[in-house]
Amino acid sequence: MRRVEIAVVGGGASGLMAALTAAEEQKRQHRPVSVLVLEAAQKPGRKLLATGNGRCNLTNMHDERSRFHGDVLAAEAVLGKYPPQAVVRRFLSLGLLCREEEEGRVYPNSGQAASVLSILLEHLQALGVEILCERPVSQLSQEGAGFRLCSSQGEEVLAQKVILAASGQAAPQLGSNGSGYALAKALGHSCTPCFPALVPVICGEEKRCKALHGVRCRGRVSLLGDGKLLGEESGEIQFTDYGISGVCVFQLSRMASEWAKTKTVNGIRFTSLQFSLDLLPNHSPEELLGMLQRRKRLLPKSDNMALLSGFLPVVLARQIAKEVLGKLVPLEVLSTYDIEKTLLCTKSYTFTVKATQGWDRAQVTAGGVPLSETCPQTLESSRCPGLYLCGEVLNLDGDCGGYNLQWAWASGMAAGKAAASACKPQKPAKSSKPRRKPHAANR
Ligand SMILES: Cc1cc2nc3c(=O)[nH]c(=O)nc-3n(C[C@H](O)[C@H](O)[C@H](O)COP(=O)(O)OP(=O)(O)OC[C@H]3O[C@@H](n4cnc5c(N)ncnc54)[C@H](O)[C@@H]3O)c2cc1C
């Protein structure tokens, strides 16, 4: 049976950062590095490689608390101690150049998520941190002053401290399936209801969705609960054969997901939820009306289905004209009322929320272990001292734009440093052989 000071459950973003920070702290204290990462998948950091479409949007310089959801107040100590600047400095100190792009989004200068993962793995290896892959931890229990961890393969590890970084339920195909919640619950924790966030939305207008499948445009998206504005975002909208997607829809999907599960948003009950799309947000209805009347004057024999073809992608323009005007007639027979009705549709094209796509299409989990069950500075469990939690397993999630990885790094640093600082140096076993330098990500 292996004995280590610190066992990290999960070799994803937060777990790798926690392991690295813990090992650095042990080294700083002139103690032997004794950190073991147990990872369920064949390789560590699979989700990290998929982030930002393979580019890894690793943080966001717009350090706004409104971009986080869940136990935001309880996370303040960690988010405040490790702001985006500290994360960028941390990666720079590891040798990773970063660059800021639009809306404060930060990416590795290489443009490749693989650079972020490999820099973490190289440093972990250099410090002697071992990563055991294909070791899904299935049991975690207290044993004396420490913990016993059992993997599904029957491997057992004794650790003084455990850092639980097993994530939530989002994107199970990339490793995390919610087993972290069961491990936390076995040690006395609770878990809030969880639902998928940053996820495409399924809408009720089935025929329209099929017709628009594959169309993309820019616009402003408002989410309405029984007609009341709940949130608004601008950016690219993607139409799919089941509904709508794209970053601005993702940002509002958390509320749609909550509603689909509970018929409430932030605890308030709504009978129906709708997305209202302004497809021409930079132009006033008066300006657009003038342009369309001019079009009618100049092109009287032109097809009314092409009324909006100078404004919107052709498929979308024709779909709206078809929905509003019905039959094919020349422009000259259209009344001002018809033109106004068509314009109104471009300013408020509504989609009824039916559901959201499932966990496999979600980028993050909304919900998790309440942060109130941890120490705000160290993320040590108040239910089970010696256990630390970080990353998505906790009840904190962020918007698109680097906020989720920001939380993974910040919470990983907090938990890793605190766990290492709290360890008592182990007495070397009498018969122990000299340690060989282990390889990161070995099996
Ligand atoms: C497609 C996609 C794109 C994304 N893009 C971005 C982005 O650009 N920017 C951003 O900020 N966020 C992004 N996110 C979200 C971000 O990746 C996550 O919030 C973040 O990785 C969470 O870190 P974590 O360490 O908690 O979990 P993970 O990175 O998921 O790591 C958890 C690890 O634990 C392992 N594990 C799970 N259970 C066990 C167990 N029982 N025993 C052992 N190991 C276990 C898993 O295999 C996994 O490797 C994206 C997510 C997805 C799915």
Side-chain angles (χ1 to χ4, degrees):
M1 176 165 348
R2 282 165 183 266
R3 282 171 194 273
V4 286
E5 280 191 10
I6 299 172
V8 181
V9 181
S14 68
L16 295 178
M17 182 54 88
L20 181 59
T21 309
E24 285 171 343
E25 181 61 21
Q26 288 173 333
K27 197 175 164 208
R28 201 185 61 78
Q29 293 180 12
H30 306 291
R31 288 163 37 205
V33 167
S34 178
V35 180
L36 176 69
V37 180
L38 295 160
E39 165 55 46
Q42 277 184 341
K43 287 188 173 163
R46 274 176 68 206
K47 195 185 285 174
L48 191 54
L49 289 176
T51 57
N53 284 326
R55 295 206 308 135
C56 186
N57 177 195
L58 60 93
T59 185
N60 195 303
M61 300 314 281
H62 299 172
D63 192 11
E64 293 159 10
R65 294 297 176 268
S66 61
R67 289 292 179 186
F68 291 98
H69 313 281
D71 296 332
V72 186
L73 274 181
E76 182 52 40
V78 170
L79 289 172
K81 182 158 185 203
Y82 301 102
Q85 293 79 359
V87 166
V88 171
R89 270 199 311 276
R90 174 94 167 105
F91 276 106
L92 193 62
S93 76
L94 296 173
L96 186 85
L97 281 180
C98 297
R99 67 162 182 258
E100 186 179 336
E101 297 189 6
E102 75 289 351
E103 295 165 351
R105 293 164 188 245
V106 177
Y107 294 86
N109 199 55
S110 66
Q112 293 181 331
S115 303
V116 183
L117 179 60
S118 83
I119 211 106
L120 289 168
L121 294 180
E122 281 171 48
H123 281 272
L124 286 163
Q125 183 172 16
L127 282 164
V129 174
E130 204 172 349
I131 302 177
L132 294 179
C133 293
E134 295 182 303
R135 303 298 200 285
V137 175
S138 51
Q139 279 176 42
L140 175 56
S141 53
Q142 282 178 298
E143 174 129 336
F147 296 87
R148 178 187 290 263
L149 299 95
C150 303
S151 82
S152 307
Q153 280 75 11
E155 183 150 351
E156 295 199 335
V157 175
L158 288 180
Q160 266 189 48
K161 311 284 176 197
V162 168
I163 300 176
L164 185 58
S167 194
Q169 282 175 266
Q173 67 280 14
L174 297 174
S176 52
N177 58 6
S179 62
Y181 302 135
L183 297 175
K185 280 182 183 169
L187 293 176
H189 280 283
S190 65
C191 184
T192 70
C194 294
F195 41 90
L198 304 187
V199 64
V201 176
I202 302 171
C203 300
E205 293 72 11
E206 283 164 24
K207 259 173 94 176
R208 178 200 284 173
C209 291
K210 290 213 161 41
L212 291 177
H213 180 60
V215 175
R216 288 164 184 245
C217 71
R218 295 191 73 79
R220 185 163 54 231
V221 180
S222 307
L223 183 64
L224 308 169
D226 296 341
K228 184 173 168 278
L229 182 67
L230 301 176
E232 205 169 63
E233 291 284 339
S234 296
E236 192 187 65
I237 305 161
Q238 294 171 17
F239 297 92
T240 66
D241 55 357
Y242 53 79
I244 49 175
S245 186
V247 171
C248 55
V249 174
F250 270 27
Q251 307 289 41
L252 299 166
S253 64
R254 190 184 197 278
M255 289 188 265
S257 236
E258 183 191 347
W259 182 82
K261 196 163 176 182
T262 63
K263 293 288 171 273
T264 65
V265 174
N266 299 326
I268 302 170
R269 187 158 286 278
F270 293 103
T271 336
S272 76
L273 220 60
Q274 279 187 326
F275 278 98
S276 172
L277 277 43
D278 183 346
L279 302 169
L280 298 163
N282 300 325
H283 303 277
S284 70
E286 295 73 33
E287 182 192 349
L288 295 168
L289 183 62
M291 285 178 76
L292 290 185
Q293 278 169 336
R294 189 175 146 79
R295 182 183 176 99
K296 180 181 157 185
R297 254 196 336 272
L298 295 177
L299 303 165
K301 302 290 173 208
S302 185
D303 159 5
N304 65 347
M305 293 294 137
L307 183 64
L308 298 170
S309 61
F311 295 174
L312 294 170
V314 176
V315 175
L316 182 56
R318 292 190 81 84
Q319 175 64 26
I320 291 177
K322 202 168 120 192
E323 285 179 29
V324 181
L325 305 170
K327 56 183 187 309
L328 192 70
V329 288
L331 275 187
E332 62 188 351
V333 307
L334 280 192
S335 64
T336 304
Y337 174 73
D338 285 335
I339 297 178
E340 280 176 345
K341 230 170 44 171
T342 316
L343 266 184
L344 194 70
C345 196
T346 67
K347 291 296 223 178
S348 174
Y349 198 33
T350 52
F351 286 81
T352 316
V353 175
K354 231 169 109 180
T356 55
Q357 290 279 5
W359 289 111
D360 53 338
R361 298 292 305 278
Q363 289 199 356
V364 74
T365 311
V369 176
L371 269 126
S372 57
E373 296 176 5
T374 65
C375 162
Q377 285 79 23
T378 62
L379 300 180
E380 182 176 13
S381 161
S382 48
R383 302 272 167 106
C384 177
L387 172 72
Y388 297 75
L389 298 100
C390 59
E392 213 175 292
V393 73
L394 287 163
N395 180 24
L396 194 88
D397 57 290
D399 283 350
C400 266
Y403 295 99
N404 286 299
L405 283 174
Q406 169 60 29
W407 171 243
W409 310 130
S411 59
M413 285 192 263
K417 188 164 167 55
S421 305
C423 280
K424 295 194 181 72
Q426 282 181 323
K427 287 189 194 114
K430 276 183 191 154
S431 61
S432 69
K433 292 185 193 148
R435 273 168 60 102
R436 272 196 300 136
K437 195 173 170 187
H439 289 281
N442 74 1
R443 297 169 52 188

